[in-house]
């Protein structure tokens, strides 16, 4: 089966600019997650979608981050305006959903904010 | 907020040695997963444990879930250079918001 696709792989922007990341989950996976992984740390959940509805966005910095999954398939994550501390790898994952379901991760987008 | 502490943070050993890494929390988890991540890639699931006291074996890897479902360990026998990577444990709390909480990981290097 095709895996989780993410683009772009790398992005370099200046602080205060905006940036968007795209994710296409595994076909049939209802649940989609965006994680932020800062260098040297484990992934931190930003937002979880079930189909096109938000299940958990408690750790999403909503003053600058937004995400959508309009048709319950692809998703985009946007940062506007970016700060230096947003430099990280942004990982998208999908699963069938439900407690204990394995997450399938994409290879991430590495963002550098200068 | 549920936290997972992993130890050691870094481990470098020779090929053929055995090792154990740990994942501890003060919170109870409904399930616990172990992932391995290589540079430039996303984490890949190794195992899921859901029952307190459960032991699962995957070739040279042995995973154990604590009786109280607050901790877990990963033991590797006769480590090989291909085992090199970042090992992450992740806890699930169950319910509708089932996004996993990850530890910071153990960076493992197996030297040939």
């Amino acid at each position: 089966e095709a895996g989780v696709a993410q683009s772009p792989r790398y992005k370099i922007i200046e602080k205060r600019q905006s940036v968007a990341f795209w994710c296409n989950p595994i076909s049939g996976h209802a649940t989609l997650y965006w994680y932020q992984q800062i260098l040297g740390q484990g992934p931190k959940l930003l937002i979880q979608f079930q189909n096109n509805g938000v299940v958990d966005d408690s750790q999403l910095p909503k003053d600058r981050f937004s995400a959508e999954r309009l048709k319950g398939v692809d998703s985009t994550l946007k940062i506007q305006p970016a700060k230096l501390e947003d430099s990280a790898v942004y990982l998208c994952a999908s699963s069938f959903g439900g407690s204990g379901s394995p997450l399938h991760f994409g290879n991430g987008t590495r963002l550098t904010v200068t | 907020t549920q936290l997972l502490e992993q130890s050691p943070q870094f481990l470098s050993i020779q090929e053929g040695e055995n090792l154990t890494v740990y994942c501890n929390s003060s919170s109870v988890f409904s399930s616990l997963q172990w992932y391995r991540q290589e540079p430039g890639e996303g984490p890949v699931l190794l195992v899921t444990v859901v029952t307190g006291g459960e032991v699962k074996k995957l070739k040279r890897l042995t995973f154990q879930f604590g009786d109280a479902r607050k901790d877990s360990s990963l033991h590797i026998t006769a480590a090989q250079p291909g085992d090199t990577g970042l090992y992450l444990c992740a806890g699930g709390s169950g319910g509708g918001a089932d996004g996993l909480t990850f530890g910071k990981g153990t960076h493992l290097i197996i030297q040939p």
Side-chain angles (χ1 to χ4, degrees):
Chain A
E1 69 182 359
V4 176
Q6 289 190 247
S7 67
R9 283 286 275 139
Y10 305 93
K11 190 74 178 179
I12 301 174
I13 62 172
E14 295 181 352
K15 59 183 178 183
R16 291 187 289 273
Q17 287 186 326
S18 63
V19 64
F21 313 126
W22 174 82
C23 172
N24 181 241
I26 291 173
S27 178
H29 281 189
T31 308
L32 185 148
Y33 311 80
W34 283 101
Y35 280 85
Q36 179 193 58
Q37 187 173 25
I38 293 173
L39 186 65
Q41 298 186 19
K44 170 189 157 186
L45 179 66
L46 293 175
I47 190 167
Q48 175 187 347
F49 291 95
Q50 180 75 18
N51 297 308
N52 61 347
V54 175
V55 174
D56 183 1
D57 63 357
S58 57
Q59 298 189 85
L60 186 73
K62 298 180 187 62
D63 57 334
R64 299 184 300 105
F65 286 64
S66 64
E68 59 183 14
R69 194 185 183 198
L70 292 176
K71 297 183 179 179
V73 181
D74 293 7
S75 177
T76 56
L77 175 69
K78 297 179 182 178
I79 307 175
Q80 181 180 12
K83 292 185 175 182
L84 295 176
E85 58 261 37
D86 298 332
S87 293
V89 175
Y90 290 85
L91 294 163
C92 178
S94 69
S95 77
F96 283 113
S99 180
S101 292
L103 270 58
H104 298 261
F105 284 87
N107 286 331
T109 296
R110 179 176 295 277
L111 173 67
T112 302
V113 182
T114 63
Chain B
T1 302
Q2 297 177 308
L3 293 175
L4 283 165
E5 300 286 341
Q6 290 191 245
S7 61
Q9 189 175 358
F10 297 97
L11 184 59
S12 179
I13 63 172
Q14 295 294 124
E15 181 177 2
E17 294 184 1
N18 303 331
L19 67 107
T20 303
V21 298
Y22 301 92
C23 174
N24 296 293
S25 175
S26 58
S27 303
V28 175
F29 290 97
S30 62
S31 66
L32 198 135
Q33 300 179 4
W34 284 90
Y35 290 79
R36 187 165 79 99
Q37 185 177 23
E38 297 191 49
E41 299 182 7
V44 175
L45 179 71
L46 296 173
V47 77
T48 300
V49 286
V50 296
T51 305
E54 183 177 1
V55 177
K56 280 192 174 179
K57 292 191 175 183
L58 190 68
K59 297 183 180 178
R60 294 177 293 101
L61 278 60
T62 302
F63 304 85
Q64 185 164 8
F65 200 13
D67 291 340
R69 289 186 289 126
K70 292 183 178 181
D71 55 86
S72 181
S73 63
L74 159 59
H75 181 78
I76 301 178
T77 303
Q80 299 177 0
D83 296 327
T84 293
L86 176 65
Y87 288 81
L88 295 159
C89 67
S93 56
D98 54 3
L100 297 174
T101 299
F102 281 82
K104 290 186 177 182
T106 292
H107 294 263
L108 177 63
I109 296 175
I110 310 300
Q111 300 179 23

